[in-house]
Amino acid sequence: MMGSPVRQPMTTSSTILILLLLLPVMASSTSTTETCPMNVYEPAPEGFRLKDDILLAGNPEQRYLPSQYRRRIDGHGYEVCSCIQKPCVIKCCKPNKLFIGNKCSISNETHEEFAVPKLVTENGTVETYERDKFHIIYGLQKCIDNASKYLLTASNNDGNFVVSENGWLFNELGLDIAEPGQFCLEQFYDLEFHIATMVCSRENSNNDINMYYIVSMALSLPFLLMTFLVYALIKRLRNLHGKSLMCHITSLFVAYSSLILVQLTIETADNYFCVLLAFIIQFSFLSSFFWLNVMCFDLWWTFSEHRPLQGHFKQHESKKFIIYSIYAWGCTSFISIFTYYMHQASFSQSNNKLYPGFGKESCWFSSTLATVIYFYGPIAIILISNLLMFLHAAVMIYKKIKDTKIFNQSDYNKNIDHEKQRFVLYLNLFLVMGVNWLAEVISFAFGEKFEAYIWYITDLGNALQGVLIFLIFVCKKRVFRLISQQFCPRLELFKTTTVSTRNFYNSSIVSKSQFDLELNVKNIIPSEAISGNNQNLTNL
């Protein structure tokens, strides 16, 4: 019973080492390539000679094609391609440095000196090559077509990996993972000094797609800022719904700014800075969804005929905004604090499934389960609750429209129209954020079962949310009219009508008609719903 776990690694190791000996010999094809692998040169050995534009040097003598050697800058002698004489392997960090977090640093703790491994398992390096077997190049590799990089370890269920005698990276089944120059090896402090590899992704279009996302998010930022300023500077828009929208926009602005910063500095970001950005991105995105949930709830509350809070209308709105703020910021803070606790807890770090792992492999979560627990899970719950509230609100609107046909009061019909307009307004916002992010959650869970271009479309829609929010909440005739009245009152760019400019806060005539209306329709809608909720219907 105790012997079986010990024999199994030996069997696997022996099989893979035999596989190494049986791998196709690629040295000859490497030596005859038309270009210099990795573009690394060194001074030609003494005693070299040129024959028909072929440089012959070394012992045993090695042939260098014209594209594999060059004149030295000082004009004295030649430089030959280093990776022709013997295979090259890239070490991610400079000599005497290793990865601590996601940054190359010097470790004060005692550890084995770096050596190119033949086989790496979850228990570490099984066997290494001789020191002079490879020419070691220091520094992160340059990926073909600027492809993205990902971390491959033998301890995160990726499986064992092998470095062949010719510098190729294989998995334990003998399938190639990366060619020479498209991966680098390094010891990782967080992996108990075990060796892992940074591999260039073979999906060469990823970098271009990421750049499109960065440009789209950067395009969203000024539109988010303009929307915020419009609602902040115009008093009549700073009601409960306007303030909720401003909080939502602020959260999105911080989230997009942090995401852009991560994308632009991911190669050079300090580990602490990387972790900080990860927490900011998590907090800001979650808070944007909780504020979307607040707006959906307030809309549902309006149509569900619940009794409003006691007190004057403005006091009533102030109390509601305080309650909504405690809910939105409080829930977001609770999730972030819990994430921070799990990130710092020692028992969590020993369990990779629950450990958030910010800064371990990237400036985001390091495992699928952690991403679900701390990010996509809460978002999915919010989106489902929003959908249910919208469906119920739609049913209530339909019932009220049917009830209004019994009466012919124009004021009441106008109030219902304003309610419908606000419903359509928030429905558009829900479609912009909800549907795209619901697709984001689905792609996270089942993305491999669908074509990638489908998720590119939804991701692009998420990146352009700032533009869409500006179109929904600012590009309206009434908002343009308010902007004109605020900053250019003499121009009268948009004509004022008695219906659209009616002010529920100040007009005693409207108050009188609303009072008469309440007496006529009190059997249909409770008076609290009319007096409490309809006073700000025209402010969106």
Side-chain angles (χ1 to χ4, degrees):
M1 294 296 293
M2 296 298 294
S4 178
V6 177
R7 289 196 301 269
Q8 181 64 28
M10 293 300 296
T11 303
T12 304
S13 303
S14 301
T15 302
I16 295 177
L17 290 177
I18 293 174
L19 178 64
L20 279 174
L21 299 177
L22 297 177
L23 289 174
V25 178
M26 300 178 181
S28 59
S29 62
T30 304
S31 62
T32 58
T33 183
E34 294 297 328
T35 58
C36 178
M38 306 189 203
N39 198 32
V40 179
Y41 291 85
E42 61 183 16
E46 294 183 0
F48 69 87
R49 58 192 179 92
L50 288 172
K51 182 178 180 181
D52 298 329
D53 291 333
I54 304 296
L55 190 146
L56 304 174
N59 188 19
E61 194 171 67
Q62 179 72 48
R63 300 172 70 252
Y64 295 92
L65 299 176
S67 61
Q68 298 168 350
Y69 70 89
R70 64 188 183 188
R71 294 281 296 185
R72 296 181 60 176
I73 297 177
D74 58 10
H76 301 289
Y78 290 87
E79 293 179 330
V80 296
C81 185
S82 302
C83 302
I84 298 298
Q85 188 175 5
K86 56 183 177 181
C88 289
V89 169
I90 302 177
K91 182 180 182 297
C92 303
C93 299
K94 294 182 179 180
N96 302 321
K97 289 188 176 183
L98 51 84
F99 269 119
I100 300 179
N102 65 342
K103 184 179 179 181
C104 292
S105 304
I106 297 175
S107 174
N108 296 325
E109 298 186 20
T110 303
H111 59 88
E112 294 184 2
E113 187 179 354
F114 174 85
V116 177
K118 291 184 178 180
L119 167 66
V120 178
T121 68
E122 60 182 356
N123 297 319
T125 301
V126 174
E127 189 176 353
T128 61
Y129 287 101
E130 297 178 357
R131 299 290 179 184
D132 59 351
K133 173 67 179 177
F134 296 96
H135 180 82
I136 305 298
I137 301 173
Y138 299 98
L140 287 173
Q141 75 275 22
K142 294 182 179 180
C143 297
I144 297 176
D145 295 333
N146 293 321
S148 59
K149 304 181 183 71
Y150 66 92
L151 179 65
L152 176 67
T153 69
S155 59
N156 61 0
N157 299 322
D158 289 330
N160 305 335
F161 61 86
V162 176
V163 179
S164 72
E165 293 185 351
N166 301 299
W168 284 69
L169 185 68
F170 292 88
N171 62 17
E172 57 185 332
L173 299 178
L175 301 176
D176 67 285
I177 300 174
E179 62 186 88
Q182 294 302 294
F183 71 96
C184 67
L185 301 165
E186 192 52 78
Q187 295 168 293
F188 280 74
Y189 178 84
D190 295 336
L191 299 177
E192 299 179 352
F193 300 104
H194 291 173
I195 288 181
T197 175
M198 293 289 295
V199 184
C200 294
S201 173
R202 287 180 171 175
E203 298 179 1
N204 296 332
S205 61
N206 280 352
N207 189 71
D208 293 335
I209 293 173
N210 288 338
M211 184 55 63
Y212 289 139
Y213 292 155
I214 293 175
V215 172
S216 300
M217 288 187 291
L219 182 63
S220 286
L221 291 180
F223 285 94
L224 287 172
L225 181 60
M226 285 188 291
T227 306
F228 179 88
L229 291 176
V230 167
Y231 277 77
L233 296 177
I234 299 178
K235 185 177 181 180
R236 292 181 62 183
L237 294 177
R238 290 199 306 270
N239 53 18
L240 176 62
H241 312 293
K243 291 177 182 177
S244 300
L245 180 64
M246 289 165 62
C247 292
H248 173 75
I249 291 172
T250 301
S251 299
L252 280 181
F253 188 90
V254 174
Y256 284 166
S257 300
S258 302
L259 266 179
I260 293 173
L261 195 57
V262 166
Q263 294 293 333
L264 296 178
T265 63
I266 190 156
E267 299 290 345
T268 59
D270 180 82
N271 185 58
Y272 295 104
F273 183 64
C274 179
V275 172
L276 176 62
L277 283 179
F279 276 108
I280 292 176
I281 292 171
Q282 181 207 24
F283 183 91
S284 53
F285 267 122
L286 286 179
S287 63
S288 71
F289 278 96
F290 275 109
W291 277 108
L292 179 62
N293 187 237
V294 162
M295 290 185 281
C296 294
F297 173 81
D298 189 70
L299 184 70
W300 170 81
W301 182 272
T302 300
F303 289 108
S304 59
E305 301 180 359
H306 290 288
R307 180 179 294 274
L309 296 175
Q310 300 297 321
H312 189 268
F313 173 70
K314 291 186 177 180
Q315 294 177 347
H316 161 59
E317 278 210 336
S318 299
K319 290 179 181 178
K320 286 181 70 174
F321 183 71
I322 292 174
I323 294 174
Y324 289 161
S325 298
I326 293 174
Y327 165 75
W329 299 123
C331 290
T332 307
S333 299
F334 174 79
I335 296 174
S336 294
I337 291 172
F338 180 69
T339 305
Y340 178 79
Y341 171 76
M342 296 300 292
H343 185 77
Q344 297 293 331
S346 57
F347 72 88
S348 172
Q349 296 181 16
S350 63
N351 186 343
N352 290 332
K353 294 182 179 181
L354 295 177
Y355 178 52
F358 288 154
K360 183 178 180 181
E361 298 178 6
S362 65
C363 300
W364 197 233
F365 298 100
S366 61
S367 69
T368 301
L369 183 59
T371 310
V372 171
I373 293 175
Y374 307 115
F375 192 69
Y376 281 121
I379 288 176
I381 294 173
I382 292 173
L383 291 178
I384 293 173
S385 66
N386 289 349
L387 179 61
L388 294 177
M389 286 188 288
F390 266 115
L391 292 176
H392 185 255
V395 172
M396 297 301 297
I397 288 178
Y398 177 75
K399 290 182 179 179
K400 289 185 177 184
I401 292 175
K402 288 183 63 178
D403 291 338
T404 57
K405 294 180 181 179
I406 302 174
F407 300 93
N408 194 25
Q409 286 83 5
S410 60
D411 288 338
Y412 183 73
N413 290 333
K414 291 169 186 175
N415 290 335
I416 292 297
D417 289 339
H418 286 307
E419 291 282 14
K420 290 193 300 183
Q421 291 174 14
R422 186 154 66 95
F423 175 82
V424 172
L425 203 65
Y426 285 135
L427 179 61
N428 289 335
L429 179 61
F430 174 75
L431 292 176
V432 168
M433 281 205 67
V435 174
N436 281 336
W437 273 92
L438 187 60
E440 178 81 12
V441 175
I442 295 174
S443 70
F444 174 78
F446 310 105
E448 296 180 355
K449 298 182 180 180
F450 299 91
E451 295 293 335
Y453 71 87
I454 297 176
W455 311 123
Y456 295 156
I457 295 173
T458 58
D459 290 343
L460 189 62
N462 285 333
L464 289 172
Q465 280 179 14
V467 180
L468 299 176
I469 289 175
F470 179 83
L471 294 176
I472 293 172
F473 288 95
V474 177
C475 295
K476 300 189 304 177
K477 183 179 293 186
R478 181 178 183 278
V479 175
F480 285 153
R481 185 180 65 253
L482 291 175
I483 294 174
S484 175
Q485 292 175 353
Q486 179 80 16
F487 300 104
C488 304
R490 296 183 179 181
L491 292 181
E492 295 185 0
L493 299 177
F494 297 90
K495 292 183 179 180
T496 301
T497 61
T498 56
V499 174
S500 60
T501 59
R502 185 175 52 200
N503 190 335
F504 285 103
Y505 293 102
N506 301 320
S507 176
S508 59
I509 298 177
V510 171
S511 300
K512 175 67 168 58
S513 62
Q514 183 173 320
F515 175 78
D516 294 337
L517 176 64
E518 291 174 5
L519 294 179
N520 292 329
V521 298
K522 62 182 179 181
N523 294 326
I524 298 177
I525 301 178
S527 59
E528 297 89 342
I530 298 176
S531 62
N533 293 320
N534 288 337
Q535 297 191 45
N536 63 338
L537 296 180
T538 59
N539 287 339
L540 282 178

